[in-house]
């Protein structure tokens, strides 16, 4: 792809005045003809004005949080290919064609800019526990959703129009990267991972991430989507735990009854029955919700087919 008129570069921003001008210039140079959109999320440092001066199309999004910004971007902007990147100058613009070309060549529906494989994220990222958190989230998502991601939480990724227009964004904040990764794996989109060079923020630029609070939100998002996307597995796990507790409580009571003919620990016996009953109920809930989710998945597949049909017209 020699020119990139069909590409929309999406840059959600909150107080990135130090870097946004360079980021806009770099991506315009790396993707000739592409349109660069900067959505300002209540910045107080002149980010929007700087982006406008450098030739970006600028819009304000008043609902705070990256997830809210990305949701509105995908609703507002119509393009054939989308490149999502942060405005903090940590992702190399020269790698942008590597993320777009697999989409244009119909080799992938979404491309992930992988910071982990070549080791640059570990070298450049000096924030405590961020590497540990990334590894924890990646391990959980890979285990629960069956796709071997190298980098779950990268902010550098691309997707085609059908992927963008059928992506349900539920997140409000920095959970958006995890949500997109889970959606792509769960819905069996064609995913390609491209190693990129990562660089830490320049001096004076401050991260908006909070390691612990945002980490808790990301973990909550993982388990919430696990419940929504794979209810049989989620509720079966809870059922097994509940049944195990019931058996641990109940077996001594049964043994005691077999030896003496008496149930002397009646409260324990009642709790054992209650936990076993709860386990059975959880399993039934999982079976019912699994049927509902399969129906929703069929409806979603039909919607994707309709989007592809509209694109071919």
């Amino acid at each position: 792809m020699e020119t990139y008129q069909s590409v929309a570069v999406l840059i959600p921003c909150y107080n990135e005045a130090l870097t946004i001008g360079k980021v806009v210039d770099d991506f315009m140079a790396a993707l000739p003809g592409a349109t660069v959109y900067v959505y300002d999320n209540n910045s107080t440092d002149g980010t929007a004005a700087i982006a406008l001066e450098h030739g970006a199309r600028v819009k304000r999004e008043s609902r705070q949080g990256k997830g809210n910004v990305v949701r509105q971007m995908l609703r507002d902007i119509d393009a054939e290919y989308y490149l999502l990147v942060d405005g903090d100058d940590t992702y190399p613009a020269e790698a942008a064609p590597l993320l777009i070309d697999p989409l244009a060549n119909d080799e992938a529906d979404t491309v992930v800019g992988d910071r982990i494989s070549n080791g640059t994220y570990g070298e450049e990222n000096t924030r405590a526990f961020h590497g540990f958190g990334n590894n924890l989230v990646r391990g959980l998502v890979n285990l629960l959703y069956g796709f071997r991601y190298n980098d779950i939480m990268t902010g550098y990724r691309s997707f085609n129009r059908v992927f963008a227009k059928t992506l349900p964004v539920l997140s409000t904040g920095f959970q958006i990267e995890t949500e997109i990764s889970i959606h792509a794996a769960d819905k069996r989109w064609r995913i390609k991972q491209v190693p990129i060079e990562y660089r830490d923020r320049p001096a004076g630029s401050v991260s908006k991430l909070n390691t612990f609070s945002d980490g808790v939100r990301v973990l909550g998002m993982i388990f919430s989507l696990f419940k929504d996307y794979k209810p049989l597995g989620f509720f079966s796990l809870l059922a097994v735990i509940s049944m195990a507790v019931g058996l641990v409580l109940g077996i001594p009571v049964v043994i005691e009854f077999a030896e003496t003919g008496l149930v002397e620990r009646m409260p324990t016996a009642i709790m054992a029955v209650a936990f076993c009953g709860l386990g059975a109920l959880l399993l039934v809930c999982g079976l019912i919700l699994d049927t509902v989710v399969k129906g929703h998945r069929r409806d979603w597949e039909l919607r994707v087919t309709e989007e592809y049909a509209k694109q071919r017209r």
Side-chain angles (χ1 to χ4, degrees):
M1 182 182 267
E2 296 179 358
T3 58
Y4 295 87
Q5 288 92 345
S6 55
V7 177
V9 180
L10 313 183
I11 311 177
C13 277
Y14 173 60
N15 286 342
E16 300 290 3
L18 185 66
T19 56
I20 189 59
K22 179 178 183 299
V23 171
V24 171
D25 291 343
D26 287 351
F27 278 91
M28 284 183 170
L31 299 173
T35 304
V36 177
Y37 296 87
V38 172
Y39 273 46
D40 178 55
N41 196 202
N42 303 313
S43 297
T44 58
D45 63 352
T47 293
I50 295 171
L52 195 62
E53 289 173 4
H54 285 258
R57 296 190 183 182
V58 178
K59 184 173 179 180
R60 181 173 178 268
E61 172 53 51
S62 60
R63 293 168 296 179
Q64 195 66 39
K66 186 176 181 180
N68 288 325
V69 179
V70 172
R71 182 190 304 110
Q72 195 60 45
M73 282 179 147
L74 297 181
R75 289 176 179 176
D76 291 346
I77 300 167
D78 193 20
E80 192 169 351
Y81 308 110
Y82 299 79
L83 181 74
L84 178 65
V85 66
D86 293 339
D88 55 9
D89 196 30
T90 57
Y91 298 103
E94 57 270 20
L98 300 178
L99 274 73
I100 295 297
D101 290 347
L103 305 178
N105 296 331
D106 199 27
E107 298 169 358
D109 300 299
T110 181
V111 183
V112 178
D114 169 20
R115 306 165 296 174
I116 305 296
S117 293
N118 59 14
T120 55
Y121 183 73
E123 293 172 2
E124 294 292 334
N125 179 40
T126 58
R127 290 164 286 181
F129 298 109
H130 274 227
F132 170 78
N134 205 315
N135 291 336
L136 175 61
V137 170
R138 183 174 73 248
L140 280 173
V141 171
N142 289 347
L143 175 65
L144 296 176
Y145 297 95
F147 183 82
R148 301 298 302 175
Y149 279 109
N150 298 321
D151 189 357
I152 292 287
M153 302 176 72
T154 176
Y156 200 19
R157 56 184 75 223
S158 64
F159 23 85
N160 60 26
R161 186 183 188 281
V162 177
F163 184 97
K165 295 303 180 182
T166 59
L167 172 66
V169 178
L170 306 177
S171 308
T172 58
F174 284 102
Q175 313 97 299
I176 181 65
E177 286 95 355
T178 305
E179 182 179 9
I180 294 173
S181 298
I182 290 173
H183 171 75
D186 180 74
K187 295 300 190 293
R188 301 183 182 89
W189 289 102
R190 295 173 298 171
I191 306 167
K192 184 169 183 177
Q193 303 182 82
V194 175
I196 61 165
E197 299 290 327
Y198 177 84
R199 51 185 179 245
D200 205 3
R201 284 172 170 268
S205 179
V206 180
S207 173
K208 317 307 183 299
L209 271 172
N210 182 290
T211 301
F212 294 102
S213 63
D214 287 311
V216 169
R217 292 189 187 100
V218 167
L219 291 175
M221 170 63 68
I222 291 172
F223 287 107
S224 176
L225 292 178
F226 182 40
K227 172 180 65 68
D228 294 341
Y229 287 172
K230 297 180 180 292
L232 183 57
F234 180 83
F235 284 99
S236 294
L237 179 61
L238 294 182
V240 168
I241 294 172
S242 183
M243 289 282 193
V245 173
L247 290 174
V248 168
L249 293 172
I251 288 175
V253 176
V254 172
I255 293 173
E256 182 181 61
F257 177 76
E259 292 175 347
T260 66
L262 300 173
V263 179
E264 296 183 355
R265 292 182 287 178
M266 185 59 71
T268 303
I270 293 172
M271 287 185 64
V273 172
F275 273 105
C276 289
L278 177 61
L281 181 61
L282 288 167
L283 182 60
V284 171
C285 287
L287 290 168
I288 293 171
L289 291 173
D290 185 63
T291 302
V292 173
V293 167
K294 285 180 179 176
H296 288 166
R297 188 183 292 272
R298 281 192 291 269
D299 293 341
W300 179 85
E301 290 285 355
L302 290 173
R303 183 185 166 201
V304 170
T305 301
E306 290 173 0
E307 286 290 337
Y308 272 115
K310 282 196 288 186
Q311 186 168 297
R312 295 190 188 101
R313 290 172 192 162

